[in-house]
Every structure is written in structure tokens, then in C-alpha cells.
Amino acid sequence: MAEQTVLERKRFALVVLLFQVLFVILFALFVEYAEVESSPASTSAKRPNPRLNSIERFYPMFQDVHGMMFIGFGFLMAFLGRYGYSSIGLNFLLGAFVVQWATLVLGFFHQHASYSEQVALSIENMLTADFAAAAVMITFGAVLGKVSALQLLIIAFLEIIFFSVNEMIGISELKVVDIGGSMFVHTFGAYFGLAVSLALASRTRVARKPGSHKEGSVYHSDLFAMIGTIILWLYWPSFNAALGEGDQRHRAVINTYYSLAACVVVTFAVSSLIDKDSKLDIVHIQNATLAGGVAIGNSADFLVEPWGAMLVGSLGAILSVLGYKYIQPFIQRTLKIHDTCGVHNLHGMPGILAAIVAVIATASISTSKYGNSLYQVYPALAPKNSTEFAHLSQLGYSYESGEGRSQSTQAGFQLAALLVTLCMAIVGGLITGFIVRLPMFSPLLDNDEQLFEDNVHWDVAGDEMPAATLVVRATSEGVPNPASRKGLEMGEAAVDDKVKQPKEATPV
């Protein structure tokens, strides 16, 4: 390989700085504080919108979500024995990059829809930017260890554009509901990542052959990943409830809480049941225990009853565990789609389940149970500007006019939004994947020196890494299952025959 020029070696740093300069300029031109966040010296005569006075309303749950993005996701992906710096560090970089870019892109779409001249910035904008970052971090999980830092930035930059278009179609045009982002965040992020991975497949040996011997974990890296799992599990009710109001938020917290609890119990049971020695698989416990949060997300604020939320969480657990055990190896073997973290099992399939649950729940709405909160949960069901709407206004209800849809019609729109999301994610992911394959984005070499390796981007212990035993579980067909990453039939494979020796003490 020819020696790189100085410009090639500094390409990543230069691109990062150029992006940050671009963000500063765009913020200076188009972003301002929302009215109630402005200086007290403001002379505006307009009455502040209470939704925008958002510290009390949004900030506590925003902090929960923020912790999930930067601690939970980062540590959850730290299972790879030789990729911990990158899992946590590049997740940190992506999060900081995306919240700025998503604030701009989502703000531009909202600005266009509301005919505003500037993007009005509030805590709610910061929260929705974190949700957009979650989609990118899910995509990161699908390509973890297989792309360079520069490729990750380009993937994030392009994904936010597709993400914002899809969300605008779903919320502004189709007027569907998805309080927990199961469709617009989890499903979109997962299938976008799988599509990117598919586009990179011909350049990525792990998609064509048994996985790299570095695509494994060590005991302590799995413990780090469990830290991420528990943080995500604890704060997931805030993720699903943050954008709600009143009864919506109350139900979303309760439903998510019990869905997650049931999910944990069922995950432990199913993981043991499907193992021939009745042992637990740490990968199932790290990931499938969170599927209940995804599965209930779309209908978290619905009146599904606590037992219904527990049922949904249980179904999410079963689907996720079976996905890791059987579906993911099948997809890699037949479709050549390599999914490092198994995002299809934790975010993709449970996200589709969430959308289906929302369709069923919407079609079977009991208007008498919802009472005054029906149009808060389903704005499109509210009557149009008509005699009925005028009557509601006279009674003191503050609902905006809707589309006057029936339950069955709204259920159809919910299903349509799922199909649009899948198409947008897959097409957008394929386009993005083919773009980042270009040599100008510094793709990793397809060899064991660069795949799943921190040394590519980090100064790691003087360019030496401690020897570790990384192990991969094989399926019954003898093909390594990267979703499991633990040693069973394949046994243990030492991946570094150079043990770092202690330095001699310097004579005094």
C-alpha cells in the first residue's frame, strides 16, 4: 500500500472542522432563541407560547434521553474486545455532530411548514435532535467496526436528511402518531443501517465469509455493555414519554415501565429455553431485554392497559431472542447482510411489531375510555372546522381542528407510515452506502488489521493492545453467528499472540 500524503492523513480532521464551521455559519444565519428563551429585554408584544417555555416541561426527561444517547448507546456497543474506544468515543462524536445537524435540518422543515423566517430554538428542539441522534446510533450499530470515522460522519450527515423527510411525511402529511419513535427512530435507523451494510457487502469480507476473529467480546467488555443496557432500560420510559402531555405522558411512562419489566423476565426464560445446555446468553440479556421499550413505543400513550403493555413487552422479548439465535445468522448466510450489533433484532423487528400493535389499537379505539384526551392522542381524529369543532371549543377544549378521520382510516394511515418508513430507510441506506464506498471517504481495508480494531483511529497503549481471548459462537451449521459473539462449538480463538510485556524500571 502506497504511503499516505499529509492531506490524506489529515482528511478526517479537516472534514470535521469544515462541518463545524458550516454549522456555526448556519446557526448564525437561521437559528434564534424561541420567544420565551430570549433575553428579558425582548420587546415583543406577542404572548409567549407555553409549549416553548420548556425547561420545566422538557428538561428533566431531556436529560434522561441525553444520558441514553451518550452513555447508554455508547456502552451497549462496547462489547467488541478490541473496539471499545471507538464504540464509546465515536458514538460521542456522532452524537455531538448529529444534534447540531438535526437541529438545523428538522428546524428547516418545521420552518417551511410554519412559514417562519427563523428556526426558533427551545428545549423541545434539543429533545427531537436527540431522537434523530438515536436513529444514527442505531445505524452505527449495524456497521460497527466496518467503516472509518470519516465514513460514519458522512453516513450521519446523509441519514439525517432522509430521516427528516420521512418524519415530515409521516407526521405532517400522513398525520400518524408515534410518541416513542418506534417507527420513525428505531425502525428507520435499523433498516437504514442494514441497507448501508448491504451496500458495503462486496467490500466487507465479514459479509461474505465467517466473521473476523476480532468480532468477539471478552469478559470485561461484556460487563461494559451491560452498563449500557441497564442505563437504557432505566431511562426508556422517559424516551417514550418525553414528547407527551398530561394523560399521554402518564400512560406512556406506566406502559413502558411494565413492558420493559415483562420483557426482562421473558428474555431470561426464552434465552435459557432455546440453549441446548439451558444456559443464558449474555447477548440476549444485553439486547433483547430492551426490546419491550421499542415494542410498546408506538402505542405507549394509548389505553392498551398495563396487562396489554406487559404482553407487548413479552412478545418483543421473544421476537428479539429468536432473532439473535436464528434469524440473524439466516440473513447473513442468505442475503449477505452483516449486522454487527444485531440492530435488526433489537430495533428493526420490534419496531415493526410496535407499528402493528399501534394499527390494531387504533382500529379498536374505545372513544368512551379516552374521553377528553382522544384528540390529544389522535389529532387527526379531531373534527374539522365544523359545528362539532365549534361545540368543543365552546366547552373549553383547546384542540386544534383535525381531519375528521374514523378509527379504521387512521389505522390505515398508521400502516402506510410504516411502509413509507421502510422504503425511505432502505432506499436512503443503499444510496448512502454506495456513496461512502468511494475512496475519498477513507474506507477501511478489508483485512484483520483494520476491521473491528481501535488502532486504526486511536493511539492505544503505545500501539500495543493487551492480548485477549475473543470467542465467537457457531450455529448448528458451523457458520459463526456474529449476533452471539460467545464461544461454544467454535471454542476459543486467541486473537493476539503478542502479550504486552511490563516495562523495565528506569534506574535512578
Side-chain angles (χ1 to χ4, degrees), residues 268-317:
F268 272 80
V270 177
S271 180
S272 177
L273 282 172
I274 64 175
D275 187 84
K276 66 178 184 180
D277 297 320
S278 299
K279 291 185 177 181
L280 299 170
D281 189 330
I282 189 63
V283 177
H284 302 159
I285 309 307
Q286 288 166 350
N287 296 278
T289 51
L290 301 172
V294 180
I296 196 62
N298 205 159
S299 54
D301 58 333
F302 294 1
L303 278 168
V304 295
E305 303 297 338
W307 66 266
M310 295 163 71
L311 177 60
V312 170
S314 300
L315 292 174

Side-chain angles (χ1 to χ4, degrees), residues 37 48 54 100 151 161 251 255 290 310 322-323 338 360 382 395 414 452 486 489 507:
E37 321 292 352
S54 48
Q100 297 176 80
Q151 285 179 300
I161 298 173
R251 287 193 296 267
N255 287 336
L290 301 172
M310 295 163 71
L322 295 181
H338 182 269
I360 296 171
L395 293 176
Q414 294 286 143
F452 313 108
K486 308 296 172 267
E489 290 92 342

Side-chain angles (χ1 to χ4, degrees), residues 32-247:
E32 64 181 8
Y33 295 118
E35 186 175 340
V36 295
E37 321 292 352
S38 301
S39 167
S42 173
T43 58
S44 173
K46 290 172 28 178
R47 185 174 175 222
N49 183 342
R51 278 182 57 81
L52 297 179
N53 193 4
S54 48
I55 287 291
E56 297 86 356
R57 179 168 177 259
F58 286 116
Y59 194 71
M61 285 190 169
F62 162 76
Q63 279 292 76
D64 293 347
V65 174
H66 212 47
M68 291 173 69
M69 299 305 102
F70 288 90
I71 305 174
F73 273 107
F75 276 86
L76 180 64
M77 292 187 283
F79 63 87
L80 291 173
R82 299 176 65 96
Y83 205 70
Y85 282 17
S86 298
S87 298
I88 299 173
L90 294 182
N91 182 84
F92 192 12
L93 170 65
L94 279 183
F97 178 89
V98 168
V99 295
Q100 297 176 80
W101 180 228
T103 297
L104 288 165
V105 178
L106 291 170
F108 289 151
F109 279 113
H110 184 268
Q111 174 188 2
H112 175 74
S114 60
Y115 303 101
S116 302
E117 295 181 358
Q118 294 287 104
V119 175
L121 193 59
S122 69
I123 306 298
E124 187 173 2
N125 298 87
M126 294 161 57
L127 184 57
T128 54
D130 268 11
F131 288 151
V136 173
M137 291 168 185
I138 292 166
T139 295
F140 180 28
V143 297
L144 189 71
K146 301 176 295 184
V147 293
S148 68
L150 180 55
Q151 285 179 300
L152 279 176
L153 282 183
I154 303 304
I155 289 170
F157 182 83
L158 296 174
E159 180 173 2
I160 289 301
I161 298 173
F162 288 108
F163 172 89
S164 301
V165 171
N166 181 66
E167 188 177 75
M168 183 194 69
I169 293 171
I171 295 177
S172 300
E173 302 300 325
L174 300 179
K175 300 188 185 303
V176 301
V177 293
D178 184 16
I179 191 172
S182 292
M183 273 195 300
F184 298 137
V185 175
H186 297 283
T187 303
F188 182 89
Y191 287 98
F192 190 96
L194 293 174
V196 171
S197 186
L198 176 61
L200 296 173
S202 63
R203 292 184 59 95
T204 309
R205 176 167 52 86
V206 292
R208 307 188 304 272
K209 301 177 183 178
S212 165
H213 63 275
K214 292 182 182 178
E215 191 189 356
S217 62
V218 292
Y219 190 80
H220 68 267
S221 68
D222 274 326
L223 290 178
F224 278 123
M226 276 301 300
I227 293 173
T229 297
I230 293 172
I231 288 173
L232 291 169
W233 191 89
L234 288 173
Y235 292 125
W236 211 294
S238 293
F239 188 95
N240 283 353
L243 291 175
E245 298 184 54
D247 292 342

Side-chain angles (χ1 to χ4, degrees), residues 391-449:
H391 176 66
L392 288 172
S393 299
Q394 290 174 357
L395 293 176
Y397 299 127
S398 59
Y399 309 124
E400 297 180 0
S401 60
E403 300 291 315
R405 292 176 182 170
S406 65
Q407 293 107 300
S408 58
T409 301
Q410 181 63 28
F413 275 96
Q414 294 286 143
L415 182 59
L418 172 63
L419 299 178
V420 170
T421 296
L422 289 171
C423 291
M424 186 69 71
I426 294 170
V427 172
L430 288 172
I431 293 172
T432 300
F434 283 115
I435 290 174
V436 298
R437 285 173 50 146
L438 298 174
M440 63 184 296
F441 298 121
S442 306
L444 297 181
L445 297 178
D446 191 15
N447 57 43
D448 284 335
E449 282 70 41

Side-chain angles (χ1 to χ4, degrees), residues 16-50:
V16 169
L17 288 175
L18 285 173
F19 270 126
Q20 189 57 52
V21 170
L22 174 65
F23 294 161
V24 171
I25 293 172
L26 292 175
F27 266 74
L29 293 175
F30 299 109
V31 179
E32 64 181 8
Y33 295 118
E35 186 175 340
V36 295
E37 321 292 352
S38 301
S39 167
S42 173
T43 58
S44 173
K46 290 172 28 178
R47 185 174 175 222
N49 183 342

